[in-house]
Amino acid sequence: MCDSNEPVKQDDIREAYFDKMGIPFCKVENENTDSNENVQDSKQMLALEKAHDIRKFEIELFWKRGTYFWAFILASYTAYFFTLSFNKENLFSSEIIILVLLCVTSFLGFFFSYSWLLVNKGSKYWQKNWELHIDCLEQEITGNLHKTFLDTAKNGCESSPFSVAPYDYSVSKVTTIGSLVMTVLGFCIFAMQLFFTVGALLSVPMEIHLAISLAIVVFLCLGIAAMTEWLKGNVHSSNEIHFIRHELGNVAADSSNSNNGNRQNN
């Protein structure tokens, strides 16, 4: 975003941004000038339309991905609690199979919850990426439309959850918190089930039993941490993307701190 409180710095960063994008920088001093007509057919206009389209596409994918992961999470915990409550003598001949199945299904519930959390964060990143593009492209075309928000202090908005009045809560943050809670609960269920399974399968003292359970949990956590690191994007290798995300983002930080929560996935 471009800080309207610092016009000189804003123009400098926008000019550098346009240079990186290969778009002629057309600063319009007077809205009645002919240059404002020319910009309608420029790369800037096309880039703005494309940025809006991709942002809308990312928001649609945000909710579609959530539905996708909810299906896997629900299936995992349905299988877990069904196995937990089912009369095992009628289904399996060995108790070991029951215990292993409970561990596997509880781990899958945790794994899909954690994956959902990462996907939520990734979706929000790309949405914010295209919002930054829009903020710098829209000035000469639509003005500050994308950067103008309803003042919650003067328009009948109410932050209380017990009020029916609207408020600028971030829908994406609420969803991300929900996925974080599911991840923590999933980890607790899996760790508890693993503890009981190791205790039932191994006739060892409690100290050894606890050590083995912790070792397995630590090993899995290290594996998930390595997977998380591997799943990170490689956009850092591109100078253009690095410029947009970091230099432009840093300029926008001062002005966006007060209204970051206003942008929501509707």
Side-chain angles (χ1 to χ4, degrees), residues 57-83:
F57 180 66
E58 287 294 337
I59 293 175
E60 292 176 3
L61 287 181
F62 181 88
W63 297 112
K64 290 180 180 179
R65 290 162 179 161
T67 304
Y68 171 82
F69 279 102
W70 259 113
F72 279 101
I73 293 170
L74 181 61
S76 299
Y77 284 119
T78 298
Y80 173 78
F81 287 107
F82 174 80
T83 305

Side-chain angles (χ1 to χ4, degrees), residues 2 25-26 45 50 52 65 77 79 81 84 86 141 145 153 157 160 163 183 192 199 203 208 216 242 249 257:
C2 304
F25 181 62
C26 304
M45 183 67 179
K50 182 65 68 175
H52 273 294
R65 290 162 179 161
Y77 284 119
F81 287 107
L84 191 65
F86 201 86
I141 301 174
L145 177 64
C157 299
S160 172
S163 172
T183 300
M192 178 185 66
S203 299
I208 299 178
I216 296 175
H242 176 82
N257 284 338

Side-chain angles (χ1 to χ4, degrees), residues 11 25 49 90 97 100 114 122 131 143 148 170 201 232 235 243:
D11 291 340
F25 181 62
E49 292 178 356
N90 295 335
I97 298 178
V100 172
Y114 182 70
E131 286 175 350
T148 304
S170 173
L201 297 179
K232 288 182 178 180
V235 292
F243 166 81

Side-chain angles (χ1 to χ4, degrees), residues 99-195:
L99 296 172
V100 172
L101 184 58
L102 287 172
C103 270
V104 170
T105 52
S106 61
F107 176 76
L108 287 177
F110 160 68
F111 177 78
F112 287 127
S113 298
Y114 182 70
S115 299
W116 181 33
L117 174 63
L118 296 183
V119 167
N120 284 340
K121 290 173 66 65
S123 295
K124 183 60 179 177
Y125 164 80
W126 286 111
Q127 179 190 338
K128 185 175 181 180
N129 173 76
W130 292 108
E131 286 175 350
L132 288 174
H133 281 280
I134 293 171
D135 285 346
C136 273
L137 289 167
E138 70 171 356
Q139 185 67 43
E140 291 80 17
I141 301 174
T142 59
N144 291 320
L145 177 64
H146 192 256
K147 296 188 284 292
T148 304
F149 305 101
L150 181 68
D151 188 350
T152 57
K154 301 178 181 178
N155 291 277
C157 299
E158 179 57 56
S159 62
S160 172
F162 302 103
S163 172
V164 295
Y167 199 73
D168 60 341
Y169 289 113
S170 173
V171 179
S172 60
K173 287 182 179 179
V174 172
T175 306
T176 302
I177 291 175
S179 60
L180 176 60
V181 171
M182 287 296 299
T183 300
V184 173
L185 290 177
F187 178 81
C188 292
I189 293 174
F190 168 68
M192 178 185 66
Q193 185 59 54
L194 180 65
F195 180 80

